[in-house]
Amino acid sequence: MNKAHGLYSCSTRLLKSARHILAKPLTTLVNISVQEGQFPSRLKHAKIVPVFKDGDETDPCNYRPISLHSIFHRIFEKLMYNRLKLFFNKNDVFYYSQYGFREQRSTEHAILDIVNKIHLSMVKGMFSCGVFIDLKKAFDTVDHFILLKKLYHYGIRGVMNNCFSSYLSSRVQTTQIGSFLSEKERTSCGVPPGSVLEPLLFLICINDISNASEKLLFYLFADDTNLLIKV
């Protein structure tokens, strides 16, 4: 109820108290958005609030950017998220060794899987070699064109692909420090930070990474990747 929200929004408490009035017009707006393949432009404006971590307060690198979206943005997104996740799970599209942001999977499962593979190799008298990769700025550098092509490849086509194209394109953000709000800045890449769809779209973007090699075994936890080879 007390979660912060971005621009062009209202409080969650107000929205819930007026749900009997707002449910029908919101449903109409969501349906029109999907039917026309257009995500509302006003809702693509994110407010960035820098939160200080530690160190020198004058160094911008010591702040964590928190992205706040409109509560209506979250409603639109949640519906898109539920449908997209249902489609991918129903068709068993996700890479089987992806353990990040998936239900009933965790880092413990990933570690157990890796250790089990190494143990089986040792029993067979083989050696295992692993490379651990942590991609830098992974979520922020997703190419929209590539992501949309992958959505098309997995079956998200036609008007729904247009809807995701509209959702990703022409996004802007402003930074707020105290009462000061900066000018709008357009974002040209990356999945929207702090959004409901952010982790799911990133998983889709890297879902085919295992096709890079037939010899390596890939174990993924979102952007943390382990490459394992048995010799």
Side-chain angles (χ1 to χ4, degrees):
M1 291 290 284
N2 299 318
K3 191 171 184 178
H5 53 81
L7 304 169
Y8 307 112
S9 189
C10 70
S11 69
T12 307
R13 189 178 300 277
L14 177 61
L15 184 65
K16 285 190 174 183
S17 63
R19 61 186 179 274
H20 59 290
I21 300 172
L22 297 175
K24 187 173 181 178
L26 272 176
T27 302
T28 302
L29 288 171
V30 170
N31 287 336
I32 292 174
S33 174
V34 173
Q35 289 165 7
E36 297 186 356
Q38 292 291 325
F39 194 86
S41 58
R42 286 288 182 93
L43 300 186
K44 293 190 282 187
H45 188 171
K47 181 173 71 175
I48 308 298
V49 179
V51 176
F52 179 67
K53 294 184 291 185
D54 55 27
D56 183 4
E57 294 186 6
T58 62
D59 186 354
C61 296
N62 292 330
Y63 289 79
R64 178 182 291 108
I66 303 299
S67 183
L68 301 178
H69 297 274
S70 165
I71 188 67
F72 301 110
H73 182 279
R74 295 174 191 158
I75 292 173
F76 274 69
E77 269 196 311
K78 189 66 175 180
L79 294 168
M80 294 169 68
Y81 171 88
N82 288 340
R83 288 300 184 91
L84 187 61
K85 187 178 73 169
L86 178 64
F87 175 84
F88 270 72
N89 287 338
K90 183 179 179 180
N91 293 282
D92 196 24
V93 175
F94 284 119
Y95 178 56
Y96 64 91
S97 288
Q98 171 61 265
Y99 294 93
F101 302 115
R102 299 184 65 188
E103 294 175 355
Q104 299 180 346
R105 293 181 176 229
S106 64
T107 51
E108 287 83 358
H109 292 106
I111 293 170
L112 286 171
D113 198 356
I114 294 169
V115 171
N116 183 53
K117 283 292 190 300
I118 295 173
H119 177 71
L120 290 175
S121 298
M122 293 173 64
V123 170
K124 296 177 182 179
M126 303 173 69
F127 294 94
S128 298
C129 179
V131 178
F132 293 84
I133 302 173
D134 184 8
L135 302 176
K136 186 177 182 181
K137 301 289 184 182
F139 287 72
D140 299 332
T141 54
V142 171
D143 186 290
H144 293 167
F145 177 77
I146 294 174
L147 176 57
L148 290 170
K149 291 287 285 185
K150 291 191 177 184
L151 284 169
Y152 182 88
H153 169 75
Y154 289 124
I156 309 301
R157 301 171 183 172
V159 68
M160 281 311 302
N161 194 279
N162 294 337
C163 194
F164 279 101
S165 177
S166 174
Y167 167 80
L168 292 167
S169 65
S170 303
R171 300 193 72 90
V172 296
Q173 62 185 36
T174 51
T175 301
Q176 181 173 2
I177 299 178
S179 59
F180 178 78
L181 196 65
S182 72
E183 295 293 329
K184 293 180 181 178
E185 186 71 24
R186 188 178 294 273
T187 56
S188 59
C189 63
V191 285
S195 65
V196 177
L197 278 166
E198 178 189 24
L200 182 59
L201 290 178
F202 181 78
L203 293 188
I204 294 171
C205 187
I206 64 167
N207 192 55
D208 58 352
I209 191 173
S210 62
N211 295 336
S213 174
E214 296 180 355
K215 296 181 179 180
L216 296 173
L217 299 175
F218 290 76
Y219 298 92
L220 313 174
F221 192 88
D223 57 331
D224 293 314
T225 306
N226 171 228
L227 311 179
L228 190 67
I229 187 169
K230 300 179 293 182
V231 293

